[in-house]
Amino acid sequence: MNNDIILQARGLKKYYGKGETEVRALDNVNLDIERGKFTAIIGTSGSGKSTLLNMLGGLDTPSAGSILVDHTELAKLNSEEATVFRRKQIGFVFQNYNLVPVLNVWENIILPISLDGRRPDRKFIMKIVQLLGLEKKLDSLPNQLSGGQQQRVAIARALASKPSIILADEPTGNLDTRTSDDVIGLLKMTSREFHQTIVMITHNPEIARMADRVIHIEDGHIVGSPD
């Protein structure tokens, strides 16, 4: 695996059902993601993009094929090892934010680090907080924040543990156009500021165009990745 490549998928397949009812959500996908780049994977509903993101993040198991994240083959990890690996090496940004309602902003940001029994790097995290404009919201609960602010907290949480890669699942799906542009702009900024690798799935061509690289997926196949 080339050191410039942080994530590599080879012969990735995910089939559901058998015979006439078989669905090939992913069908022999090969993919290389460059370290430190912001990559968008675009496809319509049912194209396989969410399935692909779940495979790359170790949230689901492929029917066949291999996935390497920073030289670690996900298939060789047992369930407990996979959970720890995800917590340390993969940051997730979900469409629905997935914040814990009873925790304040600071507690939500450091949650994955706390679960891992590690001490948060306060100086590093405060740099993220300031970059995302959350310094006055650290004591607020999620229900006291706007959708855009909640998504900023989710981005801060994903970055806080210094993961190898961040996977963003339709991160602007619940946001208006202006806030969507702000969130993507922040993702780009954090990618450059912290040399962070980000892979985002979206169905929106305008959002995808803001990434460094765009990969198209249709019917479980990668059909092109123009720069």
Side-chain angles (χ1 to χ4, degrees):
M1 188 175 178
N2 186 322
N3 275 334
D4 291 334
I5 303 299
I6 195 167
L7 188 153
Q8 186 179 78
R10 289 291 179 268
L12 208 57
K13 298 179 181 180
K14 185 65 176 180
Y15 296 171
Y16 299 97
K18 290 183 178 179
E20 291 182 7
T21 61
E22 183 181 76
V23 174
R24 299 189 172 193
L26 294 177
D27 199 10
N28 201 34
V29 168
N30 297 306
L31 185 64
D32 289 333
I33 300 294
E34 279 188 70
R35 192 181 299 274
K37 297 287 186 181
F38 179 18
T39 301
I41 299 174
I42 186 169
T44 56
S45 178
S47 62
K49 62 185 186 299
S50 293
T51 302
L52 177 58
L53 201 78
N54 287 338
M55 298 294 155
L56 299 180
L59 296 173
D60 199 358
T61 308
S63 305
S66 65
I67 302 163
L68 275 77
V69 177
D70 214 2
H71 302 280
T72 296
E73 188 167 346
L74 297 187
K76 292 185 176 177
L77 303 177
N78 63 34
S79 179
E80 187 176 337
E81 289 169 340
T83 299
V84 172
F85 182 82
R86 280 196 303 271
R87 215 158 45 213
K88 287 184 176 179
Q89 302 299 336
I90 302 174
F92 292 96
V93 180
F94 297 101
Q95 179 176 336
N96 295 320
Y97 322 131
N98 282 22
L99 303 180
V100 180
V102 297
L103 299 182
N104 66 27
V105 166
W106 176 260
E107 291 164 339
N108 265 288
I109 290 171
I110 66 167
L111 182 60
I113 302 168
S114 302
L115 289 172
D116 220 31
R118 292 179 289 151
R119 292 186 66 173
D121 183 340
R122 184 172 287 270
K123 186 177 178 182
F124 174 72
I125 295 171
M126 283 308 299
K127 189 174 180 183
I128 296 168
V129 164
Q130 287 160 6
L131 191 69
L132 294 173
L134 292 169
E135 57 266 51
K136 294 180 180 178
K137 299 292 184 180
L138 293 179
D139 294 324
S140 301
L141 294 172
N143 65 6
Q144 298 171 312
L145 305 176
S146 68
Q149 289 169 335
Q150 289 187 63
Q151 195 57 291
R152 289 175 184 223
V153 176
I155 292 168
R157 180 183 57 192
L159 286 162
S161 57
K162 303 178 185 176
S164 298
I165 192 164
I166 287 177
L167 302 178
D169 183 359
E170 295 275 10
T172 61
N174 289 332
L175 305 174
D176 59 51
T177 302
R178 182 175 176 180
T179 310
S180 295
D181 290 346
D182 288 346
V183 166
I184 299 303
L186 288 166
L187 280 173
K188 283 190 76 166
M189 194 193 315
T190 53
S191 175
R192 287 173 183 158
E193 180 76 20
F194 304 113
H195 309 292
Q196 181 65 61
T197 308
I198 299 175
V199 178
M200 173 187 71
I201 64 166
T202 182
H203 65 277
N204 187 327
E206 297 298 320
I207 293 293
R209 260 185 227 112
M210 295 174 72
D212 299 321
R213 179 188 178 206
V214 180
I215 296 170
H216 294 262
I217 185 169
E218 289 178 15
D219 299 324
H221 298 275
I222 301 292
V223 293
S225 53
D227 292 325

